[in-house]
Amino acid sequence: MSRRNILVIAYPAQGHVLPMMELSQCLVNHGFKITFVNTEYNHERVLNSLIEKDYIGEYINLVSVPDGLESMEDRNNLGKLAESLSTLGRGKLEELIGKMNETEEDKITCVIADENNGWALEVAKEMNIRCAAFWPAAAALLALLFDVQKLIDDGIIHNTGTPLKHQKIQLAPAMPAMNSEHFVWACIGDEITNRIVFDIMKKNNEAIKLVDWIICNSAYDLEPGAFTFSPKILPIGPLLANTRHGNSAGCFWQEDTNCLKWLDQQQPNSVIYVAFGSFTIFDKTQFQELALGLELTGKPFLWVVRPGTTNETNVYPQGFEERVANRGKIVEWAPQQKVLSHPSVGCFLSHCGWNSTMECVANGVPFLCWPYFADQFLNETYICDVWKVGLNFNRDKFGIIRRDEIKDKVEKVLSDEMIRKRVEELEEIAMISVGEYGHSSKIFSKFVEWLND
């Protein structure tokens, strides 16, 4: 019997592609084949990063659609990127599906689209194909997006999305408090970008009404308030390679696996792992303070400095690389799930992206929180205020996190036994959720049944 072909279309950002690839590989393990759609630009990056074809497997076919931007345009401008893709991508996706549906073997039986690609859900419905939405971030954030009209009606935000005053809100008593200035659409770029993103999010709220399922990369017991407040959001996570006994795939940069051998040489719970995801950019001053802070700790550290982390060259403090050569490892990209599961890692200094948050929690590693934009401030609230498994940093009057502050917080988080105890309890919660009888596993099984109907 041939496998049913599911088309999966990711939003064009690293933090969205990775969990959708995890979802795809889980579906392959349940007897489906996947047509995985990236933009042409990201498609090439994913292909170039693959060390072996086996990382993808024979039942995942990587394809692409154009994003509508010129080769030199800024693809970190999420508003412009999303707007261009929704305009051009619609026709290209229809064309792709139409071609595949010419043969029974390749016929698309379902479209699973990132919720941020509401236009793709509309295409599926127009072509009479069943569809589901995937949410790669916290359920609390999606619950907030669903509540946008009420925020406008209650005078919390303008109808353009701009917060009308600085305040904290809770959608429900058991949910995290959210700072209005850190609403995801209000801190994702400049004013024009924020407005474009807000308008797209409102359109997605309409598109989501077309779907049969909304599945989320989270666990009920990590966000009980959010899932109770928005019961149509269904948890199936955390989606992790180590729970399906495979390798991660879908990175935009090739992973430096040599860092795992370096970790093997370090003492248990001693290494500071430092990684800021795919968007964070530092100016020279902050980058150097971070470097000098890591040096001041006297601890071994693994630091991911991807291309584009700073807009300048020669940014390391003079003599820094020579001084830390015996205890510091700097790489362009790391196999993060394997790093976080390594016994030598003592804490994770992170931008608090949701993937990083789930990976860190699922491995019982304490956090140091350094959010940059978008949903990362909400995730910081979960980590520091709700779960209490990490610490955040204080900035000086110039907005800089100084070296002494970094040293101080590293020492505190590594020595705090209560934080370690709580994060180990969260690790157990996360692993139970995706275990054989866990809440996420039960929902995923029902989702698979629906896909097979």
Side-chain angles (χ1 to χ4, degrees):
M1 182 176 175
S2 62
R3 291 174 173 243
R4 295 192 178 197
N5 191 8
I6 299 171
L7 185 140
V8 173
I9 180 162
Y11 183 77
Q14 180 69 99
H16 296 247
V17 172
L18 283 171
M20 290 207 83
M21 185 61 75
E22 291 292 353
L23 172 62
S24 298
Q25 291 175 316
C26 287
L27 290 171
V28 165
N29 289 345
H30 282 78
F32 299 96
K33 66 178 179 180
I34 304 295
T35 297
F36 195 99
V37 184
N38 271 313
T39 60
E40 290 175 348
Y41 180 78
N42 288 338
H43 174 75
E44 290 301 317
R45 299 173 81 185
V46 169
L47 288 179
N48 291 336
S49 75
L50 289 175
I51 299 172
E52 299 174 3
K53 174 64 175 172
D54 289 347
Y55 273 47
I56 293 291
E58 64 177 306
Y59 294 112
I60 297 180
N61 181 32
L62 301 179
V63 300
S64 64
V65 294
D67 60 22
L69 298 181
E70 298 297 327
S71 60
M72 298 303 293
E73 287 191 83
D74 181 13
R75 285 171 170 81
N76 286 342
N77 186 324
L78 296 180
K80 187 173 184 180
L81 177 58
E83 197 173 42
S84 176
L85 183 61
S86 66
T87 301
L88 183 65
R90 182 183 298 270
K92 294 297 182 181
L93 184 62
E94 289 175 351
E95 184 180 318
L96 174 64
I97 294 174
K99 186 174 182 180
M100 301 196 76
N101 285 353
E102 290 175 358
T103 65
E104 195 63 31
E105 183 181 356
D106 291 331
K107 184 178 180 180
I108 301 298
T109 59
C110 180
V111 170
I112 303 176
D114 189 305
E115 194 273 348
N116 294 281
N117 286 337
W119 58 271
L121 298 171
E122 293 169 352
V123 168
K125 277 300 180 181
E126 289 165 6
M127 300 186 75
N128 201 29
I129 300 171
R130 292 194 302 173
C131 57
F134 175 70
W135 182 248
L141 177 57
L142 187 54
L144 176 69
L145 299 184
F146 288 165
D147 221 37
V148 156
Q149 190 55 52
K150 188 174 187 300
L151 296 179
I152 295 172
D153 295 341
D154 290 347
I156 295 171
I157 61 173
H158 190 266
N159 60 14
T160 61
T162 304
L164 293 175
K165 62 179 179 179
H166 175 71
Q167 59 183 309
K168 286 191 174 183
I169 69 159
Q170 275 185 293
L171 297 180
M175 290 182 66
M178 304 182 196
N179 185 330
S180 60
E181 293 184 345
H182 288 159
F183 287 161
V184 61
W185 59 83
C187 59
I188 208 162
D190 57 27
E191 186 176 337
I192 295 174
T193 298
N194 290 346
R195 185 170 295 189
I196 292 172
V197 168
F198 183 70
D199 287 342
I200 290 172
M201 287 176 172
K202 287 197 295 182
K203 290 177 183 177
N204 291 339
N205 278 348
E206 293 302 310
I208 204 72
K209 296 174 183 177
L210 303 171
V211 306
D212 299 288
W213 285 73
I214 306 171
I215 51 176
C216 174
N217 186 26
S218 185
Y220 180 87
D221 288 332
L222 294 178
E223 300 189 80
F227 287 113
T228 301
F229 182 75
S230 291
K232 57 190 170 183
I233 307 172
L234 300 172
I236 61 166
L239 295 165
L240 302 166
N242 59 10
T243 62
R244 58 175 176 77
H245 310 295
N247 291 307
S248 296
C251 289
F252 292 172
W253 296 273
Q254 190 170 106
E255 296 172 337
D256 186 337
T257 56
N258 289 325
C259 67
L260 299 174
K261 298 175 184 176
W262 179 85
L263 286 172
D264 290 341
Q265 301 168 18
Q266 312 306 316
Q267 295 298 312
N269 297 322
S270 67
V271 174
I272 311 161
Y273 174 52
V274 186
F276 293 94
S278 57
F279 279 99
T280 304
I281 298 175
F282 291 106
D283 63 25
K284 186 173 183 177
T285 299
Q286 184 61 88
F287 186 88
Q288 293 195 342
E289 286 295 318
L290 172 56
L292 294 171
L294 293 173
E295 182 180 358
L296 270 181
T297 66
K299 305 285 185 184
F301 61 87
L302 172 60
W303 186 8
V304 177
V305 183
R306 70 169 204 286
T309 296
T310 71
N311 289 325
E312 302 177 59
T313 57
N314 302 319
V315 289
Y316 290 103
Q318 187 172 4
F320 167 78
E321 292 171 281
E322 293 78 10
R323 293 193 302 271
V324 301
N326 291 331
R327 61 178 177 86
K329 179 76 171 173
I330 300 173
V331 298
E332 289 192 356
W333 201 252
Q336 183 159 288
Q337 291 189 33
K338 291 181 179 179
V339 168
L340 288 170
S341 65
H342 198 284
S344 71
V345 173
C347 67
F348 183 16
L349 202 169
S350 170
H351 67 305
C352 306
W354 189 250
N355 290 324
S356 293
T357 300
M358 288 294 93
E359 290 163 2
C360 196
V361 162
N363 285 290
V365 177
F367 290 84
L368 287 167
C369 298
W370 192 318
Y372 178 67
F373 81 149
D375 65 324
Q376 296 161 14
F377 299 99
L378 169 61
N379 303 339
E380 177 190 34
T381 299
Y382 263 129
I383 293 163
C384 297
D385 301 335
V386 179
W387 303 330
K388 301 183 187 302
V389 294
L391 302 174
N392 50 23
F393 293 102
N394 295 315
R395 296 176 182 269
D396 69 9
K397 63 181 180 180
F398 302 106
I400 300 296
I401 299 172
R402 294 293 177 182
R403 66 192 78 170
D404 291 330
E405 169 71 1
I406 294 166
K407 175 179 180 290
D408 179 56
K409 291 298 170 63
V410 166
E411 291 174 350
K412 284 182 177 179
V413 81
L414 288 176
S415 63
D416 194 319
E417 291 301 322
M418 290 305 297
I419 285 180
R420 184 161 294 280
K421 181 176 183 293
R422 283 191 293 268
V423 78
E424 287 172 354
E425 291 170 354
L426 277 192
E427 176 185 9
E428 184 177 4
I429 287 171
M431 290 300 95
I432 287 174
S433 71
V434 292
E436 185 177 358
Y437 302 107
H439 191 266
S440 289
S441 287
K442 289 178 180 178
I443 290 174
F444 188 75
S445 294
K446 291 179 181 178
F447 181 58
V448 168
E449 290 176 9
W450 174 78
L451 289 171
N452 275 317
D453 282 345

